[in-house]
Amino acid sequence: MKSINQFTITIAMLMVIAMLTQCKNIPTNIPELFQGEKDYRRNINILFDVSNSISEKQLNSYITAVEIAFKNLGARDKLSIGVIDKGSYSDPASVLRVDLLKVKTYDDLPFGYNKKVISATDTAWAGPPFHRPEEMMEANGKARMEKRLEHFKAYALPHIRPMLLRMFAERKPYADRSNILWAIRNVQSDLEKDESKLLLDHDLRPHNYLIILSDMIQTDDEISFNKPMGILRADAEQLLKRIAGANQLPALGGANVICLGRATSSIIKTEEGVQRVADFWTEYFGSKYTNGRLVAYESTDKSDKLSDWLNEWSANK
């Protein structure tokens, strides 16, 4: 028995040595950017309602919210924008997807940014512009990378509104319905697990966000909340049980959910009707069904709080 234990210990030591040998080129001094309370990345998924029920004022508020989310992007964050309309089930659309952690060269960035920097002083750059570990070890390395990120965001920001307005126009054939339930289900595959990212030898905890820019009034060929009283409690309970039984509920895994757009409609004209719709979604995002974390369910005039909600990362530890 003693010899077996010694043999087991020997094998374990050899395996450790082999692993250390393979990792000999990995820095042991993890840069400050990857330490302590900053050991996370935000995975921000935005759903943008382009149905006919959205007024011009709401549309502009939604665009403002997207711009705020974009301004808040950090060097390791990911932003995805999808569409809510009748086509969410049959022809879902993705408007923008940018993962700053995976950017290897300027060619990976949207809006033709690689052409912009050709004339900049940074033209000789030949590596990840926002998170290059070697540069982090250099004096002012972190500051240089942060400056490059701010330069990219400042360049890209004016492209956001035209991009969303083009999308709004292109999706007109699907604008007579708003299939919010299916659009949320489409996001499930973009949510990240705790073990999904590794930078150097240090784990990054993903903090998933789902931002829904919509009046939250579900309307498709089978389900419609657009009634004078919204959706009655008994109907809401029946609907939740039905979609759960049909295995049509997404697993949100504790993702932070922010709904901006709570409003009346041409049919739902009372606060009571709007509240019934809100009650449905509060139940839907709860632990019993999709296991989301409903951070906010507000009208679009609360968009100025989006920065605060996106930076409340500690609540998702």
Side-chain angles (χ1 to χ4, degrees):
M1 181 65 69
K2 184 176 180 179
S3 60
I4 293 176
N5 288 339
Q6 289 176 337
F7 178 76
T8 302
I9 293 171
T10 301
I11 293 297
M13 291 177 64
L14 289 172
M15 291 176 65
V16 170
I17 292 171
M19 291 172 63
L20 290 173
T21 301
Q22 291 178 353
C23 298
K24 63 183 180 180
N25 294 323
I26 297 178
T28 56
N29 52 333
I30 307 302
E32 180 186 353
L33 184 63
F34 311 136
Q35 290 182 350
E37 64 178 11
K38 299 180 180 180
D39 299 347
Y40 71 99
R41 95 181 197 121
R42 288 172 299 191
N43 177 28
I44 303 171
N45 296 271
I46 298 177
L47 291 176
F48 196 106
D49 196 332
V50 298
S51 62
N52 288 333
S53 65
I54 305 304
S55 67
E56 183 177 355
K57 181 180 179 181
Q58 286 174 302
L59 174 62
N60 286 323
S61 296
Y62 294 170
I63 293 174
T64 298
V66 173
E67 291 172 338
I68 291 172
F70 191 85
K71 290 177 184 177
N72 275 272
L73 286 178
R76 292 144 299 144
D77 293 343
K78 176 183 174 184
L79 175 67
S80 303
I81 304 175
V83 168
I84 299 173
D85 57 16
K86 182 172 69 175
S88 296
Y89 171 72
S90 60
D91 186 21
S94 177
V95 185
L96 177 68
R97 188 181 299 267
V98 56
D99 190 340
L100 296 178
L101 183 65
K102 294 184 178 180
V103 170
K104 301 302 180 185
T105 70
Y106 286 123
D107 292 330
D108 297 330
L109 294 168
F111 308 121
Y113 186 65
N114 57 333
K115 297 176 183 178
K116 171 68 177 177
V117 297
I118 286 176
S119 59
T121 57
D122 223 1
T123 52
W125 186 258
F130 308 135
H131 44 80
R132 184 171 176 251
E134 299 93 321
E135 190 174 13
M136 284 298 300
M137 308 298 180
E138 301 172 5
N140 301 318
K142 177 183 175 183
R144 290 198 301 272
M145 281 189 282
E146 289 177 345
K147 185 176 181 179
R148 285 197 291 269
L149 177 59
E150 292 307 312
H151 186 272
F152 162 66
K153 291 196 291 185
Y155 166 83
L157 195 61
H159 292 75
I160 299 292
R161 176 174 289 271
M163 175 191 71
L164 294 174
L165 290 176
R166 284 194 303 271
M167 174 268 297
F168 195 82
E170 291 168 359
R171 298 294 290 186
K172 277 297 181 185
Y174 296 111
D176 60 330
R177 296 285 190 276
S178 183
N179 197 338
I180 304 170
L181 287 167
W182 210 270
I184 295 172
R185 192 179 181 196
N186 292 338
V187 169
Q188 178 178 249
S189 60
D190 286 326
L191 300 180
E192 296 179 346
K193 303 292 190 292
D194 286 346
E195 68 277 9
S196 63
K197 293 298 173 187
L198 184 68
L199 190 61
L200 298 180
D201 59 352
H202 209 60
D203 288 309
L204 286 174
R205 297 187 304 276
H207 292 173
N208 293 305
Y209 288 84
L210 173 57
I211 302 173
I212 306 176
L213 304 175
S214 171
D215 57 15
M216 302 306 292
I217 301 174
Q218 167 79 19
T219 55
D220 65 21
D221 295 334
E222 296 182 6
I223 305 166
S224 178
F225 297 173
N226 203 19
K227 303 172 185 177
M229 293 305 295
I231 179 168
L232 299 178
R233 177 66 183 175
D235 293 337
E237 291 177 352
Q238 184 178 11
L239 174 58
L240 286 166
K241 290 178 181 178
R242 178 161 67 84
I243 58 180
N247 197 29
Q248 292 179 355
L249 288 171
L252 299 182
N256 295 291
V257 181
I258 300 167
C259 300
L260 287 173
R262 173 192 175 117
T264 56
S265 72
S266 59
I267 297 177
I268 306 178
K269 298 181 179 181
T270 66
E271 175 58 29
E272 183 180 0
V274 172
Q275 185 57 48
R276 289 179 186 273
V277 173
D279 290 342
F280 169 84
W281 291 112
T282 300
E283 186 78 7
Y284 175 87
F285 288 119
S287 58
K288 183 178 178 180
Y289 291 103
T290 62
N291 193 30
R293 176 179 175 266
L294 188 57
V295 175
Y297 190 102
E298 301 283 357
S299 56
T300 50
D301 60 3
K302 298 295 193 300
S303 295
D304 58 337
K305 294 184 178 181
L306 188 54
S307 293
D308 294 334
W309 293 326
L310 286 173
N311 287 292
E312 288 176 356
W313 62 271
S314 59
N316 200 28
K317 274 189 174 182

